[in-house]
Amino acid sequence: AQQKTQRFSIGPTAGVGHSWLSMDQQPSGFDSKFHPSYNVGAKLVYSIETHWGLSADLKYSSEGGQFKSVEDDEDRTVYRANYLRIPLQGVYFFNDHGDKIRPKISIGPSFGFFVGGDSKMEVDEQTTNEMDSKDLFKGFDFGLNGAVGTNFRLSPATWLNADITYYHGLSNVSENSALNWKNRGIGLNVGVLWGIGEGK
């Protein structure tokens, strides 16, 4: 009997987006604003059969959040938290393996290990307080990561992939037990995948 197609692919990935901190007690008089985030790393995908697969990433991800004063846009607090992230996802691929365009959806857990960052407060664009983010953030973060995207076949064993991703943190990342901070993020990730093995 013919076995299901099995294929590994691996390659670099990078992304940009917006991250924010969901807080039970947001700073008084401040609103959450756009905070640029980015990530770089590598992705491994295992195609179980035509439509299903598993993916694992290892990436450096710069996250955090930014709050600006409602009354004065030049007064702000910036939290920068950098993580080594390992998202694991189940993937469903539309169309067939030989098609040039393959939309996909994926979801799964993401494990984040804090690796650094600096936070600061500014008044009239002048820094008034600098803080090491390790004193503000716990060393571990856990949440769910979902994505919708498309793979574009460049050659029989090479794919360009693009995803719109959303991260929803489930664990409290604040070192202060009186506070409840959870990471959130949305972004665009792109990458290239090369096939490294196939069996039928």
Side-chain angles (χ1 to χ4, degrees):
Q2 188 179 30
Q3 294 180 349
K4 296 177 181 178
T5 298
Q6 295 181 340
R7 185 183 183 89
F8 284 99
S9 53
I10 193 171
T13 179
V16 294
H18 162 54
S19 66
W20 67 98
L21 290 168
S22 174
M23 297 182 173
D24 285 351
Q25 295 176 317
Q26 192 166 295
S28 179
F30 284 75
D31 282 341
S32 181
K33 297 293 184 180
F34 176 76
H35 182 71
S37 61
Y38 65 89
N39 67 81
V40 291
K43 179 185 290 287
L44 174 69
V45 178
Y46 174 61
S47 297
I48 300 169
E49 49 93 37
T50 299
H51 294 291
W52 291 98
L54 299 171
S55 73
D57 288 61
L58 178 62
K59 60 177 63 181
Y60 175 86
S61 180
S62 185
E63 304 168 26
Q66 179 172 195
F67 296 88
K68 288 188 177 181
S69 170
V70 175
E71 297 180 355
D72 188 345
D73 203 45
E74 294 181 350
D75 296 354
R76 63 176 187 156
T77 301
V78 181
Y79 299 98
R80 177 63 66 181
N82 304 321
Y83 291 91
L84 184 66
R85 280 210 175 273
I86 305 175
L88 306 174
Q89 298 189 86
V91 189
Y92 180 81
F93 297 96
F94 297 89
N95 296 340
D96 294 321
H97 184 73
D99 293 340
K100 290 186 176 181
I101 297 177
R102 302 197 70 196
K104 59 183 177 176
I105 56 174
S106 59
I107 192 169
S110 177
F111 306 91
F113 301 89
F114 181 86
V115 293
D118 294 309
S119 298
K120 62 182 178 180
M121 293 181 181
E122 290 183 355
V123 176
D124 294 330
E125 296 188 336
Q126 299 296 315
T127 300
T128 59
N129 189 14
E130 291 186 83
M131 302 157 284
D132 191 331
S133 294
K134 73 178 181 181
D135 296 327
L136 305 173
F137 289 83
K138 291 180 179 177
F140 179 72
D141 179 40
F142 172 78
L144 293 175
N145 201 83
V148 294
T150 303
N151 282 4
F152 304 91
R153 184 161 60 89
L154 304 177
S155 74
T158 306
W159 295 84
L160 173 69
N161 57 285
D163 298 275
I164 296 173
T165 67
Y166 171 69
Y167 175 71
H168 191 88
L170 297 175
S171 60
N172 181 7
V173 295
S174 173
E175 275 284 15
N176 186 339
S177 59
L179 301 176
N180 189 3
W181 298 357
K182 292 178 180 175
N183 283 313
R184 303 281 190 265
I186 189 167
L188 173 66
N189 269 48
V190 295
V192 178
L193 290 169
W194 291 282
I196 55 174
E198 186 173 12
K200 293 183 179 180

